[in-house]
Amino acid sequence: MAIEQTFSILKPDATRRNLTGKINAKFEEAGLRIVAQKRIWMSRQHAKTFYAVHAARPFYNDLVDFMVSGPVVVQVLEGENAIALNREIMGATNPANAAPGTIRKEFAESIEANSVHGSDSAENAAVEIAYFFAGLDIVG
Ligand code: CMP
């Protein structure tokens, strides 16, 4: 297995409930390293472009409204098999279907306010990381 980097967002429902540390502990306990991290408040345009792949979905406008409703923490996570590992740690998109011990099972409020985003492929991880971080911001 290769060392990979994946992109992660702690969403507004997580920052509102002061869960940054508890969620980061889940990543670190599973062996992922947080090699870049910053707290930002996304603009509407930034959120719309980030989620453009979902533009035709019925939940798109609500998703964008939610993502700009408060600050988020954007991160680069690094480790063995980081993309798939992070998806395992997060759990299913809908917390009702998430496995015990996952972030979404423990913390998510709903399918929309589901506490975290993580890249779903190596291609998307590279695009998403570059959308928020410059190379010099990432310290392995
Ligand atoms: P995320 O991994 O950030 O990618 C797209 C987001 O859309 C997803 O997590 C959910 O928070 C949100 N979303 C809201 N409604 C739905 C839905 N019905 N199906 C999938 N994703 C949804």
Side-chain angles (χ1 to χ4, degrees), residues 8-26:
S8 164
I9 306 178
L10 311 188
K11 296 186 180 184
D13 67 287
T15 60
R16 176 170 46 78
R17 288 175 291 150
N18 213 19
L19 292 172
T20 299
K22 283 189 173 147
I23 293 174
N24 280 349
K26 293 271 197 196

Side-chain angles (χ1 to χ4, degrees), residues 20-67:
T20 299
K22 283 189 173 147
I23 293 174
N24 280 349
K26 293 271 197 196
F27 297 139
E28 294 185 338
E29 281 160 14
L32 292 174
R33 304 179 75 82
I34 301 164
V35 296
Q37 175 170 257
K38 61 187 172 188
R39 183 175 169 105
I40 61 170
W41 198 315
M42 263 195 257
S43 70
R44 183 164 296 273
Q45 190 54 53
H46 209 154
K48 283 174 82 168
T49 303
F50 180 75
Y51 278 121
V53 65
H54 296 303
R57 309 284 289 274
F59 58 80
Y60 178 67
N61 288 334
D62 285 346
L63 173 62
V64 170
D65 284 347
F66 170 64
M67 292 302 290

